[in-house]
Amino acid sequence: MEKASSVKYESMTIHDLPPADRPRERLQRLGVEALSAQEILAVLLGRGIAGESVMITAQRLLSQFGGLKGIAGASLEELSKVRGIGPAKACQIKAAVELSRRTDGHGDPTDKTTIKTPEDVYNLTQGKLKGKKKEYFLAALLDTRNHLIRLAEISVGSLDGSIVHPREVFKEAISASASSVIFVHNHPSGDTEASVDDIRLTKRLSEVGELVGISVLDHVIIGGKNYLSMKRQGLY
């Protein structure tokens, strides 16, 4: 099997490379399995910046985030700050990551997906939250039959907390004409125990839900391969 090219990519564009060493041509000739992570990223990004090969941009991404898993877990803002990326290419990367997750059976709710148990919530969201280094707060918006309308990302916080405002939560639910919601957030530490802030926030959101006529059915905390249902635990 042909190995990845050892050509030095500094101070050249992709068009300066011999055709046989260009990632796209190697993919066509050998198949995507033969490409390195750097080459796959280069194909995805398409082009570099003035005077610099896209291969250098790809390597910069891998180095900055510690590999493909780190890139997959990075936010749009973090990706956009990398030299040679910017918002448009950051969106391409996030779209490719999400496509990969969906082909693995995660995060691709089909029409009439029904959410009735914490296990359903975990199965729906664990692929999206897997490996995240920040807290993500999501809302599963449901119709009157507990069919999933959509999964809304409400906020992304730091390692020690996320900021969630009831206005943002219920704006999403109202715009989707949701009858009820289930909240989900991850603990990057892997500990699923509900904090005092988690309980306080859930009680507040539940009270607001009563006021606007949208039931808060549960709040599920995900930590790695484990999860906790705050409703089942009687925490609010």
Side-chain angles (χ1 to χ4, degrees):
M1 178 180 292
E2 184 174 338
K3 296 182 179 179
S5 171
S6 60
V7 174
K8 299 298 184 182
Y9 295 100
E10 296 180 3
S11 302
M12 63 170 63
T13 69
I14 206 73
H15 296 293
D16 294 321
L17 297 174
D21 288 326
R22 297 174 189 173
R24 188 177 299 172
E25 283 71 12
R26 280 173 48 77
L27 187 155
Q28 292 173 339
R29 189 172 74 255
L30 304 171
V32 70
E33 297 85 1
L35 271 60
S36 65
Q38 182 185 12
E39 289 174 314
I40 291 171
L41 281 171
V43 172
L44 178 64
L45 296 174
R47 64 179 64 186
I49 56 179
E52 181 179 278
S53 169
V54 67
M55 291 292 286
I56 295 299
T57 306
Q59 186 55 52
R60 189 180 293 124
L61 273 170
L62 290 165
S63 298
Q64 182 156 335
F65 295 105
L68 291 176
K69 287 186 177 180
I71 293 171
S75 67
L76 278 173
E77 182 181 7
E78 290 170 332
L79 291 169
S80 298
K81 289 180 179 178
V82 176
R83 183 169 177 262
I85 298 301
K89 289 182 179 178
C91 286
Q92 289 175 220
I93 293 169
K94 294 301 287 185
V97 169
E98 182 62 18
L99 183 62
S100 175
R101 286 199 179 107
R102 294 190 183 192
T103 56
D104 282 340
H106 300 307
D108 185 20
T110 58
D111 291 344
K112 305 301 182 183
T113 296
T114 303
I115 306 296
K116 291 185 176 181
T117 67
E119 290 77 17
D120 293 335
V121 176
Y122 175 78
N123 290 333
L124 174 72
T125 60
Q126 66 97 5
K128 182 177 180 65
L129 298 175
K130 182 180 179 181
K132 297 296 187 184
K133 295 180 180 179
K134 293 185 177 182
E135 285 196 7
Y136 282 67
F137 191 96
L138 313 175
L141 311 179
L142 309 176
D143 66 15
T144 55
R145 296 185 178 183
N146 279 40
H147 292 154
L148 181 68
I149 299 171
R150 65 185 176 89
L151 187 64
E153 183 178 297
I154 306 300
S155 73
V156 181
S158 63
L159 283 171
D160 56 2
S162 62
I163 301 172
V164 179
H165 196 286
R167 179 178 60 248
E168 299 302 319
V169 174
F170 288 100
K171 179 180 71 175
E172 294 281 351
I174 291 169
S175 68
S177 298
S179 175
S180 59
V181 296
I182 297 175
F183 301 123
V184 192
H185 84 277
N186 63 311
H187 282 176
S189 66
D191 181 5
T192 57
E193 182 178 356
S195 67
V196 172
D197 287 340
D198 292 336
I199 297 170
R200 183 184 298 120
L201 171 64
T202 307
K203 288 180 177 178
R204 183 184 181 196
L205 292 175
S206 184
E207 291 168 356
V208 174
E210 288 183 9
L211 291 175
V212 298
I214 298 175
S215 301
V216 176
L217 301 183
D218 202 348
H219 185 168
V220 177
I221 300 172
I222 294 179
K225 295 182 179 180
N226 300 312
Y227 62 91
L228 176 141
S229 163
M230 293 181 64
K231 187 72 171 181
R232 186 177 284 175
Q233 295 293 318
L235 296 177
Y236 74 96

